[in-house]
Amino acid sequence: MTTILIQGGHLVDSSTGMDARRDLFLRDGRVAALDLPGKLDALAKKEKAEIIDASGLIVAPGLVDIHVHLREPGQGYKETIASGTRAAAAGGFTSVCAMPNTIPVNDTVETTRWMQSPEREAVARVFPIAAATLGSRGEAIADYKALQAAGAVAVSDDGKPILEDSIMFEALAQAARIGLPVIQHAEDTRLTQGASMHAGALAFRLGLRGMSAEAESGIVERDIELLARLRKTDAGSHAHLHVAHLSTAQALEAVRKAKRSGLRVTCEVTPHHFALTEEAIGDYNTDAKMSPPLRSEEDRLALIGGILDGTVDAIATDHAPHALHEKEQEFERAPNGIIGLETALGLSLLVLHRQRQMPLARVLALLSSQPAQVLHLKHRGSLVVGSFADVVLFRANGDWQFRVSESKSKSRNSPFDGWRLPGRILMTISEGRIVHDARGTIK
Amino acid sequence: MPIQRKTSAKKAIRKTHPASQTGGGARSSHSSPKNPSLILLEDPALRSRNTFATPQFHSAFSPGFLHPGSSISVSHFTLQDVSRILEEASELEAMPVFRRAQRFAKRRVALLFYESSTRTRTSFELAAKSLGADTVLVSALSSSIEKGESLKDTGITLRSLGAECIILRHPNSGAPYVLGRATGLPILNAGDGSHEHPSQALLDLRTILAHFPADNGTAARRKPSITDRTLDGITVTIVGDILHSRVARSNALLLPRLGARVLFCGPEMLLPGFAANIGPGVEIERSFERALRLSNVVIMLRIQKERLSGLQIDLEDYMEQYQLHMERLAAYAPTAMILHPGPMIRGLEITSEVADGPNSAVAEQVYHGSIIRMALLARALDASPKKNEQSSRHR
């Protein structure tokens, strides 16, 4: 295994509160030492470490995305685990949690193992999220214990929310026994038939059926109620509900209340939901179509408020690649979702740090240590000695332009093409291996 | 009592950059792709003929590539555009038939219909033929669309066959944008989902102007110079299934800009409260009687059963409240002009007595429809380069 010394950078590690100039020494895929500038030079020389000059750069824990769609198995034309993790690396992510809505749905030990096999050629660590119910049909609970043993870090029927109260209760109860979080895509699909954007005046003008905020908040409230009921039983003390891609002010308020009452409820927000509103649809831009849909400006501001006050636990991308031919269709026929791995850090820095003055360390916490905590990813999202050598190096000042044509993803469905963003990523190191290196391409 | 309604003409100018409102990300305009192998796939003849045909490789959505001769949304028209279309309509109306037939002789117009239609399709087809153009009809049920061909490919095929303009009717809102971006051709929107039906709004406008000439004394049909005060004092009530109606949207986006007051009237289920936010000059009046009292023009709409998807309407109750019958008309709006875009369901939203009565201008609407559609076709074909000469030389 190689050894690497990252020299002269400004280290920001929210897991320890470190925010100072430090050199970082990586050995055998782990963080081996961390010290004042120059102090590790002798060690590096002795071990013939590769020296990386990080002067003028932020050195931070590799980012953690707890919500991506890597499309494998089954839809390699949209994305593969190899291409998806290359996009992750380009975006500074070293850990990604892959949703189970693949073909077949990941509800087995075999698929869970297959996704983590070295043959997939992943360049970032892939943590599978297994299906909560068999085939994500919402009927029978999957074998959580076996799936967890095979490497699953959570269960979810993402995209196909669990509507049946008894099934959701059972999922929460069974997962609680072994400490697995249940992730819910909160959408009452009985209320969103044929809907393709946020309900309201703009949907009316465009002649599109709308998804109401209640279709999301109703499920979040129902789930919280189930969690509270479970809490009263013996099995319930470890029950953990995680709300995926929360997008409305109402649902956020429900999570805020639940947290206050001491329930183990966490939630994530995507960069597109805090950076854009439904107005981005313009003349039926299918790259602004996703589920949950882009919402109103009030919702967007509420989400930012929730991020600032700590209600939101993590930023997650919901990276959802789709082929060009699928997106260049009639708006109502185009599939939901956008790619997001390469723009997440830039958008977070732009909206939260630059526009709302959120401290850099807190923005990074939402993208690394906090999501790692939500899904119990040990030794991730931190640069404490002994952690995995997952590191991202980026420039804090100066903008770069995102060009979707240069994306490492197989797909091109991003509404952020041409956007100027802060936080140019120069290098990503995953478990001690340099998996993205853009130093040569920048003056 | 004239109702003042000022609408800035500037608002009519199309927004080309809808992207963000968060300041940080101005969307750059798209540059053409540099990959040379992809450029070779282009037909050079097509390229020389149509500068809008540049394909996009990096994103499914490319704003700003719509042909200027298109009629997709009335919000794209400036008042000057509306004036010109009405002037062109009057010129074509007055033109001897044989001369009119030479106007666009042998030009090729395709009608692409994904939904059934009687009046709009026939009206467009006859309008094109009366201008001398060759027309071809492609309908969803008798074409490769049934086999799964995309709208994009269907459009490119029609363009390759020589179509210079495509008239599209489609069940999905926004479909004309997909076709316009894919082909670069002028697209005439003959109704897309619940979105818009621009030719219907224009023909309704022409019908209204024929009855309520503008204040400047000259007959509207002869000299229809349109301003933001042309319809000052005119109240137009649109009644019924507003939620699913593209006719309602196009009229509500067009008429207030000419000074009219538009009232939407219907039950909550078919007319959500936020509908009034569609634009300035539009209000909701739930009581049909109160709306009728204020109305100079009443546009009745059909309940679109095919788009209800799950909504349950109590028809008895609906007819009780919103059917236009003689007693209601005589009591509350004895002089109002009654319009209906068709198809009418007699006995439901309107009775035969009203539909065939002296206030009804339904037949006139159909007449104005063919005139307006000639003008829209002329606008589209005038804006596109003359066919054959260049491209055939290249071959």
Side-chain angles (χ1 to χ4, degrees), chain A residues 204 207 209 283 287 330, chain B residues 14 59 170 173 181 249 307:
Chain A
F204 176 81
R209 219 169 267 274
D283 292 335
D287 286 336
E330 296 85 328
Chain B
R14 203 167 101 66
S59 165
H170 199 288
S173 299
R181 282 179 214 126
R249 284 173 182 76
R307 292 187 226 276

Side-chain angles (χ1 to χ4, degrees), chain A residues 153-385:
Chain A
V153 294
V155 292
S156 177
D157 282 352
D158 187 41
K160 289 187 173 179
I162 306 174
L163 299 179
E164 200 63 53
D165 292 359
S166 60
I167 300 290
M168 186 61 188
F169 187 81
E170 193 55 29
L172 284 165
Q174 295 220 12
R177 268 180 219 129
I178 53 172
L180 272 186
V182 176
I183 304 176
Q184 176 81 292
H185 166 127
E187 175 190 345
D188 192 336
T189 45
R190 293 163 297 202
L191 304 177
T192 59
Q193 290 295 319
S196 53
M197 68 173 288
H198 179 54
L202 186 62
F204 176 81
R205 197 175 78 69
L206 292 173
L208 295 171
R209 219 169 267 274
M211 299 188 199
S212 65
E214 289 73 32
E216 174 174 284
S217 61
I219 294 293
V220 172
E221 284 156 12
R222 191 277 316 252
D223 288 350
I224 288 169
E225 215 178 286
L226 292 174
L227 193 70
R229 207 196 305 163
L230 183 61
R231 197 52 194 281
K232 296 189 187 115
T233 69
D234 292 341
S237 58
H238 294 293
H240 175 190
L241 169 71
H242 178 73
V243 183
H245 44 49
L246 188 136
S247 68
T248 59
Q250 287 101 306
L252 182 78
E253 196 45 44
V255 169
R256 192 176 277 137
K257 271 198 203 128
K259 285 189 162 190
R260 254 186 237 136
S261 71
L263 289 172
R264 178 104 177 94
V265 179
T266 53
C267 69
E268 75 199 22
V269 165
T270 72
H272 50 270
H273 284 113
F274 66 67
L276 296 175
T277 68
E278 57 182 346
E279 299 284 340
I281 291 168
D283 292 335
Y284 303 89
N285 181 355
T286 56
D287 286 336
K289 182 184 177 189
M290 64 284 288
S291 176
L294 296 174
R295 302 286 187 179
S296 68
E297 179 66 359
E298 295 85 79
D299 288 308
R300 187 181 82 88
L301 295 175
L303 295 183
I304 292 175
I307 291 170
L308 294 172
D309 75 10
T311 307
V312 174
D313 299 274
I315 293 169
T317 66
D318 194 9
H319 178 81
H322 291 292
L324 195 50
H325 72 267
E326 296 170 308
K327 277 291 193 180
E328 59 185 10
Q329 291 194 79
E330 296 85 328
F331 192 85
E332 290 165 291
R333 295 177 60 154
N336 286 315
I338 61 167
I339 58 172
L341 285 163
E342 288 150 292
T343 45
L345 176 65
L347 290 167
S348 301
L349 292 176
L350 174 71
V351 178
L352 303 174
H353 182 54
R354 188 176 292 175
Q355 291 173 5
R356 309 303 291 254
Q357 288 79 47
M358 193 179 200
L360 181 64
R362 283 193 61 205
V363 177
L364 291 174
L366 285 160
L367 285 159
S368 54
S369 56
Q370 289 181 210
Q373 238 166 38
V374 168
L375 294 194
H376 315 298
L377 310 180
K378 296 216 172 62
H379 311 299
R380 307 279 173 183
S382 167
L383 292 176
V384 77
V385 171

Side-chain angles (χ1 to χ4, degrees), chain A residues 93-111:
Chain A
F93 289 93
T94 50
S95 304
V96 291
C97 303
M99 281 296 176
N101 62 337
T102 46
I103 301 174
V105 166
N106 177 19
D107 57 4
T108 64
V109 165
E110 289 69 38
T111 308

Side-chain angles (χ1 to χ4, degrees), chain B residues 118-119 299-303 324 338-357 360-363 365-366:
Chain B
T118 309
R119 120 201 48 247
I299 303 178
M300 299 302 297
L301 300 174
R302 171 180 72 95
I303 292 179
L324 188 57
I338 307 305
L339 304 180
H340 195 306
M344 287 191 283
I345 310 298
R346 289 173 185 246
L348 208 165
E349 72 272 10
I350 192 168
T351 62
S352 264
E353 289 76 13
V354 175
D356 302 332
S360 168
V362 175
Q365 282 176 282
V366 177

Side-chain angles (χ1 to χ4, degrees), chain B residues 277-289:
Chain B
N277 296 339
I278 189 167
V282 182
E283 296 154 60
I284 289 178
E285 174 52 71
R286 301 268 173 208
S287 155
F288 194 17
E289 281 78 21

